[in-house]
Amino acid sequence: MIVSGSLDETVRVWDVKTGKCLKVLPAHSDPVTAANFNRDGSLIVSSSYDGLCRIWDASTGHCMKTMIDDEKPPISFVKVSPIGKFIFVGTLDNTL
């Protein structure tokens, strides 16, 4: 499976072999800038120009947590650390 973020504000999970979309998550209120699985594929992290970073259960599509900075800068990048303990977020105001 692969995961993608879109200008239509959704996160999509795709089957690589068939090319079919398996899930559409109504993720954000602005375009999604990044979406990634954690190492074991059980979680998805997504980010958006809406300033939110969300953690999703990959199997159910349920949003488990929404993180937001007080100043809510647009987020350009999100990635789960290799050991799964941290989420790295890059914002358009040049902070991590």
Side-chain angles (χ1 to χ4, degrees):
M1 288 191 296
I2 59 172
V3 64
S4 67
S6 179
L7 292 174
D8 71 359
E9 304 167 1
T10 64
V11 170
R12 294 172 187 263
V13 179
W14 302 87
D15 183 302
V16 176
K17 290 181 184 178
T18 65
K20 292 188 180 195
C21 181
L22 303 175
K23 284 188 182 80
V24 179
L25 310 177
H28 293 273
S29 60
D30 279 316
V32 177
T33 54
N36 288 288
F37 285 108
N38 67 338
R39 188 175 193 157
D40 68 6
S42 63
L43 300 174
I44 297 168
V45 293
S46 65
S47 64
S48 170
Y49 287 144
D50 64 9
L52 303 178
C53 177
R54 292 200 162 129
I55 303 172
W56 306 84
D57 181 300
S59 62
T60 67
H62 175 72
C63 180
M64 300 169 57
K65 184 138 186 113
T66 299
M67 296 172 285
I68 185 169
D69 183 284
D70 290 337
E71 295 179 22
K72 207 174 168 187
I75 300 174
S76 60
F77 179 81
V78 66
K79 181 83 173 163
V80 180
S81 69
I83 59 171
K85 286 184 90 172
F86 304 99
I87 296 174
F88 299 101
V89 176
T91 65
L92 292 180
D93 68 356
N94 297 320
T95 61
L96 282 175

